Amino acid sequence: MIYFIGAGPGAADLITVRGMRLLQKAALVIYTGSLVNPELLDYCTPDCKKLNSASMTLEEVIGALRERGRDEILVRLHTGDPSLYGAIREQMDALDLMGLDYEIVPGVSSMNAAAAVLKAELTPPSVSQTVIISRMAGRTAVPEKENIPALASHGASMVLFLSAGMLEKLCEELISGGYAPDTPAAVVYKATWPDEEIVRAALADLPGKAGHIRKTALILVGNFLNGGYERSRLYDPTFTHGFREAKT
Ligand code: SAH
């Protein structure tokens, strides 16, 4: 069986228990070497074969999986959660074509890790109930309707992947789309790794303060990053819901 496993954002204990148990039994692990913490490979047995996918093509990854026994546990280890910018669709399609079955084990995305290290709630009531996850267009195209100013026009909480190298242009586009220049923003570099770095600034000042960070970082923007919000109804004593009567 083949498993696509989310490795989590960095810290080796932020993989799921299920993911760790599969690594402990794996005969082969193909890991995204540029972003997966190598400490995770310590969960594997000494005779587990480990391949770094950084230097492999899609065909080589699929070939390495195909040549192994059907009764072995084979792992494709992706950073964060595999469903976000993981390029797993093309791998699953290739496996489908060959009639090879697979399962996905979700992981803690770097988005969740960044919110955690910022001690932030992405969806505080009355501030924003929407999270927009996107990226700047780079060598990978982004559909035109999803251009940054269009997304910024909602004023929602926003998390940007794969864009730290274009911070200045990104912040310009976020502001031209409608965020006030003083909207709180942050760059989180290598969330949960030992060399993690957090830079908080008003959106207009972010490129000046975080310009030295060029990769492995998320940009977060929105009023969720400052203090103001309304209390949630869920825990409000005067609010009745399925599990609790209002207290008067
Ligand atoms: N599937 C991954 C994202 C892979 S794309 C996930 O769910 O997190 C790679 C991008 O993710 C990087 O360019 C960076 O923007 C972000 N990223 C990955 N790990 C990160 C971390 N520990 N801290 C901050 N950003 C990270």
Side-chain angles (χ1 to χ4, degrees), residues 9 35 79-81 84-85 109-111 161-162 188-191 193 216-218:
L35 287 164
T79 183
D81 180 73
L84 289 170
Y85 308 104
S109 173
S110 58
M111 173 176 80
F161 285 75
L162 296 159
V188 180
Y189 170 74
K190 292 189 89 174
W193 288 74
T216 326
L218 292 177

Side-chain angles (χ1 to χ4, degrees), residues 6-11 32 34-36 78-87 107-114 117 134-135 159-164 187-193 196-197 214-220:
T32 309
S34 51
L35 287 164
V36 165
H78 280 275
T79 183
D81 180 73
S83 72
L84 289 170
Y85 308 104
V108 177
S109 173
S110 58
M111 173 176 80
N112 308 120
V117 301
S134 193
R135 62 171 296 171
V159 180
L160 295 134
F161 285 75
L162 296 159
S163 305
V187 173
V188 180
Y189 170 74
K190 292 189 89 174
T192 80
W193 288 74
E196 168 187 294
E197 187 181 343
R214 308 294 299 170
K215 57 178 183 162
T216 326
L218 292 177
I219 298 103
L220 296 95

